[in-house]
Amino acid sequence: MVTPQENKTITIYDIAREAGVSPSTVSRVLTNSANVRSEKKEKVQQLIKKYNFKPNALAKGLSDTKSKLIGVIIADVRNPYYAAVFVACEVAAKRRGYMTLLCNSLGDMQQELEQMEILRQQRVDAIIHLGGRADDLETNKKYVKKVKERLNVPLVITGKLDGLDCYKVQIDAKKAAELLMEHLIEQGHRKIALIGGRLDVISTYEKYQTYMSMVEKYQLDFKEEYIITGHYNNETGYIGMQQLIEQNTLPTAVVAINDYTAAGVMRCLAEHGYRIPQDVAVVSYDNTDIAKLLMPTLTSIDYNYDLLGERLVDTAIGAIGQEEVPELQMITPHLVVRESSVWTVQ
Amino acid sequence: MVTPQENKTITIYDIAREAGVSPSTVSRVLTNSANVRSEKKEKVQQLIKKYNFKPNALAKGLSDTKSKLIGVIIADVRNPYYAAVFVACEVAAKRRGYMTLLCNSLGDMQQELEQMEILRQQRVDAIIHLGGRADDLETNKKYVKKVKERLNVPLVITGKLDGLDCYKVQIDAKKAAELLMEHLIEQGHRKIALIGGRLDVISTYEKYQTYMSMVEKYQLDFKEEYIITGHYNNETGYIGMQQLIEQNTLPTAVVAINDYTAAGVMRCLAEHGYRIPQDVAVVSYDNTDIAKLLMPTLTSIDYNYDLLGERLVDTAIGAIGQEEVPELQMITPHLVVRESSVWTVQ
DNA sequence: GTGAAAGCGCTAACAC
DNA sequence: GTGTTAGCGCTTTCAC
């Protein structure tokens, strides 16, 4: 049998004893919270190194009521969008001396609430919540009520939650949709379809709205059939595209709700013998790894995940420290043009 | 400014006072560690519900020296392989009353060591480490030495670490390679190339070895040029395939080290006008989401991520509880056949 | 079956 | 500057 190495866990008291000082002095050099005579300080530091001493985070957290933990509830880290945001959060948090505690809610409200409880139990100092209830177009009253009752730490989201004091770091969905539409219009497209996503998700709804106003503004050829909602996956893209083809309402360009959906759209087009982008151009949101793997490579909207993660974390930490933090911040997306929408790219 | 809701955090003492019992009694009903007269028990439980009381995990952990946290160090959760394993671990851990604390090492040894320290500081009860040093073919002595000195909780890995007591839940790489090779051989292939991966990674090396013995066993047409190592990404696949084409050593089938690499291989083939699988078949390991998105869809080896995650976690928890846990366990992979290797599969 | 008390390892007044 | 003391919120003997 394998037995864990028995490295006696040493405490602040052990250090203090051997250094000939009091535990508080050790604590002081640990936290740098007060001046300590340099000889003692050095002695202590030397012992800390010698024993590779790391203060017990549980005890520290219990004592000063700060766990230095930020809870992150996301829909699903297996989705590359959330994975990118999470890693960015982790990096940003680490840089500021925090750890992240990740929970995958799988978009389920019960899980979201339960995970919030668990995070509360772990005494996280703040919670970042992406996806699920935090991105609904219509705020779920019951959810807000429960959260309000239970949560006593700052909450940061990318969507909105009416009637709840929380911080928002949003991606400018309007801008994102405009970039895509203007790009397509520049390429001469006037028949543009929208595939995938649910209109009860705020960012999706905003993209839809922006689309409609662009249709108006540029007097595009519009058909009801061009709007196909659904999920955020491959199948939705495939089925949606199939529908357009079968209905004889083929557009010259498709805006997919994300890269997964775009992949489905592209497969369907290919199977039916349509060339991309010559016959139908395809573009999408999120610019995940997938965009570079597809053939042709996919034009997509990038959100600057590093910046998004940093903003989320900075906002959380600012709020923890009772700083004056803006309630609403915006991330400006940008367009990454690839083969699926332009003939002559690289 | 947004202020966090001031929900007074209530403690075991508050419950005790209102219930007219002692804190220990509350603790007893909380942990179910001793019999409590049912009236008192009910009274306490009722108050717990009333106030939605959740015991402070920090205090509990400090007191009983069990954090109920499992640290998970992986190379990069943005890689769908690791994302799948992590989510499986999270689910399995949750089912058993544990939380997971995720760290992305990005394959860097310094980070791995640092994260191990941080996890130690958080008093995790066990660590699961995937990728990086825990998957080296040649164990890094320095790494093992440091870990040995520092770690005092069970360690579970999928690779190997010589000279370190730890638990291993391995994927049967030999079996995986055999499945792929036999599948290709059945399809009549005798010129099979290997693209991507580093031979200093144990699983990759084992796949390479198995390949060589299959070449021997089935007397396949072998060329040195058929072995192309590199990274685990798209580019490696593209460049590797290009090399085979330019050298005039085109095989009839390619085994890519993962789905990313396969995507690169497929792109290169497509750009050169080769049909998949008619001219060249492509197969790979990991069976991530990507396999279903590519065109044609990709034949790949699946590892049963749920089972893998469960085994990792069960092993960790067993070891925490000082149970007799097998030092080495094997996960049997299986083949998922798709379009990229067979003509008639839809 | 239940309460009192000590202790987990740290921080933070408060004195000196 | 530095030590003493009192918590932080639980669990766990140890009596009764």
Side-chain angles (χ1 to χ4, degrees):
Chain A
M1 199 198 99
V2 180
T3 49
Q5 299 75 4
E6 273 321 330
N7 297 329
K8 172 187 184 308
T9 134
I10 98 150
T11 75
I12 211 174
Y13 289 98
D14 302 319
I15 303 286
R17 193 179 324 112
E18 190 163 340
V21 300
S22 77
S24 356
T25 299
V26 177
S27 174
R28 285 180 186 111
V29 347
L30 235 35
T31 56
N32 224 338
S33 58
N35 283 338
V36 173
R37 192 175 306 149
S38 63
E39 330 154 23
K40 297 197 177 185
K41 187 169 186 170
E42 275 165 30
K43 179 72 182 160
V44 167
Q45 279 169 333
Q46 177 196 323
L47 288 169
I48 288 175
K49 182 160 287 174
K50 173 178 170 191
Y51 291 111
N52 196 265
F53 167 70
K54 302 281 173 192
N56 184 328
L58 267 36
K60 182 169 176 14
L62 181 60
S63 167
D64 67 6
T65 64
K66 249 104 200 63
S67 64
K68 290 281 187 173
L69 249 31
I70 295 177
V72 179
I73 301 176
I74 60 181
D76 192 344
V77 77
R78 288 170 298 194
N79 176 325
Y81 167 81
Y82 290 111
V85 179
F86 172 71
V87 172
C89 286
E90 183 189 4
V91 169
K94 189 185 170 197
R95 201 160 39 215
R96 306 202 43 180
Y98 280 79
M99 274 201 84
T100 46
L101 207 42
L102 175 64
C103 298
N104 292 286
S105 69
L106 307 178
D108 175 65
M109 177 163 113
Q110 274 322 314
Q111 288 244 43
E112 288 166 12
L113 288 170
E114 196 182 324
Q115 288 168 345
M116 227 168 239
E117 294 288 75
I118 294 176
L119 292 176
R120 184 163 73 95
Q121 205 162 343
Q122 297 293 335
R123 293 305 188 262
V124 297
D125 295 334
I127 290 180
I128 294 173
H129 184 191
L130 271 54
R133 247 35 60 214
D135 282 291
D136 282 347
L137 175 63
E138 298 283 350
T139 297
N140 183 311
K141 303 280 186 202
K142 186 179 160 209
Y143 178 75
V144 164
K145 179 166 173 291
K146 294 243 186 200
V147 170
K148 226 170 181 169
E149 284 168 7
R150 287 165 171 71
L151 206 64
N152 54 1
V153 294
L155 177 66
V156 187
I157 62 179
T158 52
K160 77 176 201 349
L161 283 171
D162 292 333
L164 186 65
D165 269 353
C166 65
Y167 298 89
K168 300 171 192 74
V169 179
Q170 292 176 346
I171 289 165
D172 191 338
K174 181 160 179 287
K175 174 72 177 172
E178 283 172 2
L179 283 171
L180 242 29
M181 293 296 287
E182 277 164 4
H183 170 64
L184 291 174
I185 291 165
E186 267 174 31
Q187 307 292 312
H189 295 285
R190 304 191 52 76
K191 296 169 193 279
I192 303 174
L194 242 47
I195 299 185
R198 301 200 323 262
L199 292 184
D200 58 357
V201 171
I202 184 161
S203 57
T204 303
Y205 182 75
E206 284 176 3
K207 286 163 184 166
Y208 161 77
Q209 275 213 312
T210 307
Y211 168 89
M212 292 308 280
S213 70
M214 298 289 277
V215 163
E216 184 76 17
K217 179 173 170 190
Y218 291 95
Q219 291 290 302
L220 302 178
D221 299 347
F222 175 70
K223 288 193 175 67
E224 288 286 340
E225 291 85 353
Y226 284 170
I227 307 294
I228 301 179
T229 59
H231 299 285
Y232 293 80
N233 57 20
N234 196 20
E235 288 73 32
T236 290
Y238 188 90
I239 294 169
M241 196 63 231
Q242 198 165 32
Q243 205 170 307
L244 288 172
I245 293 171
E246 286 172 359
Q247 287 172 171
N248 264 313
T249 51
L250 194 75
T252 64
V254 171
V255 178
I257 197 62
N258 68 16
D259 301 343
Y260 278 113
T261 305
V265 168
M266 287 167 67
R267 166 181 309 280
C268 186
L269 284 168
E271 285 181 5
H272 286 264
Y274 293 106
R275 294 161 305 164
I276 305 169
Q278 295 91 323
D279 299 324
V280 180
V282 180
V283 300
S284 80
Y285 297 96
D286 287 7
N287 193 33
T288 65
D289 275 356
I290 295 167
K292 288 191 285 278
L293 300 182
L294 297 176
M295 287 188 299
T297 53
L298 180 62
T299 292
S300 194
I301 290 286
D302 190 274
Y303 301 136
N304 194 344
Y305 291 100
D306 290 343
L307 180 63
L308 175 56
E310 195 170 303
R311 284 281 161 74
L312 287 167
V313 166
D314 283 356
T315 303
I317 296 179
I320 291 168
Q322 316 266 21
E323 287 170 31
E324 198 72 37
V325 182
E327 266 191 62
L328 176 62
Q329 297 171 77
M330 277 289 177
I331 299 282
T332 306
H334 61 275
L335 182 69
V336 179
V337 177
R338 297 202 184 85
E339 298 162 350
S340 70
S341 65
V342 182
W343 282 49
T344 51
V345 156
Q346 33 131 351
Chain B
M1 200 198 96
V2 181
T3 48
Q5 299 73 3
E6 275 321 330
N7 297 332
K8 173 187 184 305
T9 133
I10 99 148
T11 76
I12 211 174
Y13 289 97
D14 302 318
I15 303 286
R17 192 179 325 111
E18 189 161 341
V21 300
S22 77
S24 351
T25 298
V26 178
S27 175
R28 285 182 187 112
V29 347
L30 235 34
T31 57
N32 223 338
S33 58
N35 283 337
V36 173
R37 192 176 305 150
S38 62
E39 332 154 21
K40 298 197 176 182
K41 189 169 183 170
E42 274 164 31
K43 179 72 184 162
V44 167
Q45 280 169 334
Q46 175 197 325
L47 288 168
I48 287 174
K49 183 160 285 174
K50 172 178 172 192
Y51 291 111
N52 196 265
F53 167 70
K54 303 281 173 190
N56 182 329
L58 267 34
K60 181 167 179 11
L62 181 61
S63 167
D64 67 6
T65 65
K66 251 98 197 66
S67 64
K68 290 283 188 171
L69 250 31
I70 294 177
V72 178
I73 302 177
I74 61 181
D76 192 343
V77 77
R78 288 170 298 193
N79 176 325
Y81 167 81
Y82 290 112
V85 179
F86 172 71
V87 172
C89 286
E90 183 189 5
V91 169
K94 188 186 171 197
R95 199 159 39 212
R96 306 202 41 180
Y98 280 78
M99 274 202 83
T100 46
L101 207 41
L102 175 63
C103 298
N104 292 286
S105 68
L106 306 179
D108 175 64
M109 176 163 110
Q110 274 322 311
Q111 288 244 45
E112 287 165 12
L113 288 170
E114 197 182 322
Q115 288 168 345
M116 227 168 241
E117 294 288 74
I118 293 176
L119 292 177
R120 186 163 70 95
Q121 206 162 342
Q122 297 293 335
R123 293 305 187 264
V124 296
D125 295 333
I127 291 180
I128 294 173
H129 183 189
L130 271 55
R133 247 33 61 213
D135 282 292
D136 282 347
L137 176 62
E138 299 282 350
T139 296
N140 184 311
K141 303 279 186 202
K142 186 179 162 211
Y143 177 74
V144 165
K145 181 166 173 290
K146 294 242 186 200
V147 171
K148 226 170 180 168
E149 286 169 6
R150 288 166 171 69
L151 206 65
N152 54 2
V153 294
L155 178 66
V156 187
I157 62 178
T158 51
K160 77 176 200 348
L161 283 171
D162 292 333
L164 186 64
D165 268 352
C166 64
Y167 299 88
K168 299 171 192 76
V169 178
Q170 292 176 349
I171 289 166
D172 191 338
K174 181 160 178 287
K175 175 72 176 171
E178 283 171 2
L179 283 171
L180 242 30
M181 292 296 287
E182 278 164 3
H183 171 63
L184 291 174
I185 291 166
E186 266 173 33
Q187 307 291 313
H189 295 284
R190 304 192 51 78
K191 296 167 192 282
I192 302 174
L194 242 47
I195 299 186
R198 302 199 324 263
L199 293 183
D200 59 358
V201 172
I202 184 160
S203 57
T204 304
Y205 181 75
E206 285 177 2
K207 286 163 184 166
Y208 161 77
Q209 275 213 311
T210 307
Y211 168 88
M212 291 308 280
S213 70
M214 299 289 277
V215 163
E216 186 74 18
K217 179 174 172 189
Y218 291 95
Q219 291 291 303
L220 302 178
D221 300 347
F222 176 71
K223 287 193 175 69
E224 289 286 339
E225 291 85 352
Y226 284 170
I227 308 295
I228 300 179
T229 58
H231 298 285
Y232 293 79
N233 57 21
N234 194 21
E235 288 72 32
T236 289
Y238 188 90
I239 294 169
M241 196 62 231
Q242 197 165 34
Q243 207 170 302
L244 287 171
I245 293 171
E246 285 172 359
Q247 286 172 170
N248 262 313
T249 52
L250 194 75
T252 64
V254 172
V255 178
I257 196 63
N258 66 17
D259 301 343
Y260 279 114
T261 305
V265 168
M266 287 168 66
R267 167 182 309 281
C268 185
L269 284 169
E271 286 182 3
H272 286 265
Y274 292 106
R275 295 161 306 164
I276 305 169
Q278 295 93 322
D279 300 324
V280 181
V282 180
V283 301
S284 79
Y285 298 97
D286 288 7
N287 193 34
T288 64
D289 275 356
I290 296 167
K292 289 190 283 276
L293 300 183
L294 298 176
M295 288 187 299
T297 52
L298 180 62
T299 291
S300 194
I301 291 286
D302 190 273
Y303 301 136
N304 195 344
Y305 291 101
D306 290 342
L307 180 63
L308 175 55
E310 194 171 303
R311 284 282 161 75
L312 287 166
V313 166
D314 283 354
T315 303
I317 295 178
I320 292 168
Q322 316 266 21
E323 287 169 31
E324 199 72 36
V325 182
E327 268 191 57
L328 176 62
Q329 295 171 80
M330 278 289 176
I331 299 282
T332 305
H334 60 273
L335 183 68
V336 179
V337 177
R338 296 201 185 85
E339 298 163 348
S340 70
S341 65
V342 181
W343 280 49
T344 49
V345 159
Q346 24 120 9

